[in-house]
Amino acid sequence: MAAERSSSFSDAYAAPDECDSCPPEEKPTKRPRVIVIGAGISGIAAADVLCRAGLGDIVVLEATDRIGGRIWSIEIESDKGLKVELGANWIHGIDLNPIFCIATKHNLLSTQYKGRNLGKKMMFLTETGDPIHTRIIRDVDLEYGMLISECEEFYKQQVATPCENDSVGAYVEREFEEKISRFVGEERRLRQLMLGQRLLGECIISGAHSMHDLSLSEVGCFEELDGVHYVIPAGFDSVVHMLKKSIPPERILLNRPVAKVSWDCGGAIESGGYPVCVECENGEKFAGDVCLVTASLGYLKQHAERLFWPRLPEFKENAIRNIAMGTVDKVILEFDRQVLPDEVFRLEMVWDRRNMENEDVAQRWIKKIPSFEAVSENVLVGWLSGKEAEYMEKLTDEEVGKRCCEAIAAFLRKTTKHLPNLKKVTRTFWKSNPFTLGSYCHIPVGTEALEIDRLAEPICSNSNVPVLLFAGEATHSKFYSSSHGALLSGEREAKRIIDFYHH
């Protein structure tokens, strides 16, 4: 039986006599019991749980030269010691959040960025530099919050949406127009602009190009965790490195893109062979009892058909196809001195986007950035999503920096005479990154939330032995699109393996 094989390092890497999943000429040279594809937080969390449970006969294959995946912290050149996040940014809530528990245990938390003049004020300005009255902001935020809650109730209460294949964006816009029907002129226009600004932020949270892409009937399946949102000054990736400590270093192999996953559900375990063989692009082969796939949904969308041999079952390929993978990028601007006025930590840019879709993407991409936040006095971070983010990735640093500075200067024209000099532009390329091909998932119009469960469903042998397992943010039905969802999915699959081998 496979469970009786030695889990020692030497035995795990001994050349096998036979590999039932591969033709004779493709016999692997190394055969750990558990093969984990991907060293993002889900893959590392799974390996951590397995090692601590005594199932250390594993190998983690990572395509890039670092661990962390879509968690990636870098140090700012102009402010030594300051970390900014290229990927996951916040610990969202504290209740039931395992990342919060890890960060608390190791004293990693902070509720805001440090800086002598960073306060808690937000400036809401129009393109002409005029401020939005606090009363309007408060009114819109109240109505908007209530509408988002209403959207979530369709799923929670399992009631029909007003229209077939309705979207969050369409519902919110319809209902909001009714609520502001008593306003006219500038009062009405500013409320419409504020709604557009809030929907932009929601696109970033949801990982969508437009809120019209998000399914109204399914959006409520995502569960928010209560509590303060935290940043990690030492870098979000410090959480991944904490998890890594239980894993022997030689078990994590970097620069190992996977070329093929051969698998067999026909009972190879019972006959004494290994049912999985993973081949890397460099020709290395790893045989095992089970393979945990933590590759991003974007990567699976583009490569699943050629990656798995034989192809995955139809229900699995349909889930990969039907769940949407969005693009969310960041633009980090380093200046030679303080940018925003004292006590202001965020510039909220209330664009007039009413005719934006008719504009060329070269002109409109900047309008997809709803705000710039100061993470230090001289460093601003902006976010954008969707097609405009994908377009931004194709521009040069100089083009991105110039356009961002023009926009910031326009909004600050009545409060700041001259912007400081821009020293450096750093940005993300999650869509064009060949191993992510996007940022995180959402449930689009026409897709049911059950597709996430189908993506997470293991593929077992005819004797109900797990062979192919799937983890990652897109496989957690309640916390998809989040780092804590990714971590929990890795732990879930590790426990599935433990349950099989220990019972």
Side-chain angles (χ1 to χ4, degrees):
M1 294 293 291
E4 297 173 351
R5 297 194 193 105
S6 169
S7 61
S8 69
F9 180 83
S10 58
D11 286 347
Y13 281 79
D17 295 325
E18 183 179 4
C19 176
D20 289 357
S21 64
C22 303
E25 67 273 17
E26 297 184 22
K27 289 179 182 178
T29 56
K30 300 166 180 146
R31 53 198 266 176
R33 177 181 295 140
V34 180
I35 306 164
V36 180
I37 298 177
I41 195 169
S42 56
I44 293 296
D48 167 58
V49 171
L50 290 170
C51 287
R52 287 189 289 107
L55 293 181
D57 195 0
I58 65 172
V59 65
V60 181
L61 303 175
E62 167 56 40
T64 71
D65 61 359
R66 62 176 184 86
I67 68 169
R70 284 164 280 170
I71 294 175
W72 191 358
S73 310
I74 63 170
E75 188 172 278
I76 290 295
E77 290 184 4
S78 61
D79 194 340
K80 296 300 182 182
L82 174 68
K83 292 288 188 73
V84 294
E85 308 296 345
L86 300 183
N89 204 96
W90 300 91
I91 298 177
H92 295 285
I94 58 177
D95 292 344
L96 305 176
N97 191 325
I99 296 179
F100 174 79
C101 296
I102 296 168
T104 301
K105 179 179 179 181
H106 297 282
N107 195 30
L108 300 175
L109 296 178
S110 172
T111 55
Q112 65 182 51
Y113 298 102
K114 295 180 179 179
R116 291 192 303 276
N117 295 317
L118 294 183
K120 297 183 178 180
K121 293 182 181 178
M122 295 179 283
M123 297 177 67
F124 289 82
L125 303 177
T126 67
E127 293 175 64
T128 58
D130 296 308
I132 305 287
H133 196 283
T134 303
R135 170 179 50 83
I136 294 177
I137 298 168
R138 184 184 62 246
D139 289 350
V140 172
D141 281 350
L142 178 61
E143 297 289 359
Y144 180 71
M146 293 172 60
L147 288 173
I148 290 296
S149 294
E150 288 178 20
C151 290
E152 294 169 350
E153 288 301 308
F154 288 106
Y155 180 86
K156 294 176 180 178
Q157 302 299 326
Q158 290 295 290
V159 297
T161 57
C163 304
E164 186 178 358
N165 287 330
D166 214 349
S167 71
V168 172
Y171 179 83
V172 169
E173 288 174 0
R174 288 196 308 265
E175 296 297 313
F176 188 78
E177 282 300 312
E178 287 190 18
K179 293 178 182 297
I180 65 169
S181 59
R182 68 184 185 277
F183 297 103
V184 296
E186 189 69 358
E187 283 278 319
R188 182 182 181 88
R189 186 184 78 90
L190 289 175
R191 282 170 167 78
Q192 290 171 329
L193 296 187
M194 272 301 303
L195 175 68
Q197 203 262 359
R198 288 316 192 210
L199 287 173
L200 270 188
E202 202 71 38
C203 286
I204 292 167
I205 294 170
S206 302
H209 168 68
S210 165
M211 294 306 291
H212 286 262
D213 298 336
L214 227 64
S215 171
L216 178 61
S217 64
E218 309 301 296
V219 69
C221 71
F222 183 88
E223 294 187 8
E224 295 280 354
L225 296 179
D226 294 332
V228 177
H229 292 350
Y230 286 91
V231 296
I232 304 179
F236 210 112
D237 62 2
S238 60
V239 172
V240 184
H241 287 279
M242 292 296 177
L243 291 171
K244 183 186 77 167
K245 289 183 177 181
S246 64
I247 309 167
E250 66 272 12
R251 297 290 180 166
I252 301 175
L253 304 182
L254 303 179
N255 299 305
R256 297 301 201 285
V258 170
K260 184 168 68 172
V261 179
S262 301
W263 58 281
D264 181 8
C265 285
I269 284 182
E270 289 78 359
S271 65
Y274 285 94
V276 183
C277 178
V278 176
E279 181 177 353
C280 295
E281 290 183 0
N282 66 3
E284 287 181 283
K285 295 178 183 178
F286 301 85
D289 297 304
V290 60
C291 176
L292 172 56
V293 180
T294 73
S296 79
L297 175 64
Y299 188 84
L300 293 177
K301 280 179 174 291
Q302 183 161 318
H303 297 291
E305 289 186 11
R306 66 89 186 160
L307 183 64
F308 296 96
W309 181 83
R311 283 175 58 167
L312 296 173
E314 185 177 4
F315 82 89
K316 186 73 70 174
E317 288 193 346
N318 286 341
I320 292 170
R321 186 180 306 112
N322 292 336
I323 304 169
M325 185 68 167
T327 300
V328 177
D329 279 318
K330 297 181 185 180
V331 177
I332 302 163
L333 306 175
E334 297 180 53
F335 294 88
D336 62 358
R337 55 185 173 85
Q338 181 176 325
V339 187
L340 300 182
D342 287 355
E343 302 303 322
V344 173
F345 84 100
R346 185 185 299 156
L347 168 63
E348 299 279 1
M349 304 189 298
V350 186
W351 297 97
D352 188 340
R353 303 176 64 253
R354 289 173 293 180
N355 297 313
M356 194 183 90
E357 292 301 323
N358 296 324
E359 298 179 21
D360 184 80
V361 67
Q363 300 301 317
R364 75 170 191 261
W365 75 265
I366 188 66
K367 296 184 179 180
K368 209 60 179 292
I369 302 179
S371 65
F372 275 99
E373 181 170 322
V375 296
S376 78
E377 296 168 5
N378 65 307
V379 180
L380 301 183
V381 178
W383 305 53
L384 70 165
S385 70
K387 297 175 184 176
E388 291 79 9
E390 295 174 17
Y391 177 81
M392 182 277 298
E393 293 185 14
K394 300 174 183 178
L395 300 176
T396 65
D397 287 350
E398 291 74 17
E399 291 170 324
V400 171
K402 180 175 183 294
R403 192 69 186 91
C404 287
C405 286
E406 289 173 349
I408 294 169
F411 280 93
L412 293 177
R413 68 180 69 180
K414 295 184 178 179
T415 57
T416 303
K417 290 184 178 181
H418 301 288
L419 283 186
N421 296 319
L422 180 64
K423 296 177 61 178
K424 185 179 180 181
V425 175
T426 304
R427 58 217 168 98
T428 58
F429 298 85
W430 292 116
K431 179 63 176 181
S432 51
N433 183 316
F435 300 115
T436 58
L437 297 169
S439 302
Y440 39 88
C441 77
H442 61 272
I443 303 175
V445 172
T447 293
E448 58 181 355
L450 286 174
E451 291 286 37
I452 290 181
D453 291 323
R454 294 178 184 125
L455 180 57
E457 187 175 330
I459 297 176
C460 297
S461 73
N462 295 336
S463 300
N464 205 32
V465 175
V467 176
L468 285 182
L469 306 181
F470 294 83
E473 53 87 14
T475 72
H476 199 291
S477 59
K478 294 180 180 179
F479 304 135
Y480 59 88
S481 79
S482 71
S483 53
H484 56 278
L487 184 152
L488 288 169
S489 73
E491 292 184 342
R492 176 195 68 213
E493 298 309 311
K495 291 171 184 175
R496 194 192 304 275
I497 295 169
I498 292 168
D499 287 345
F500 172 73
Y501 280 105
H502 281 193
H503 298 283

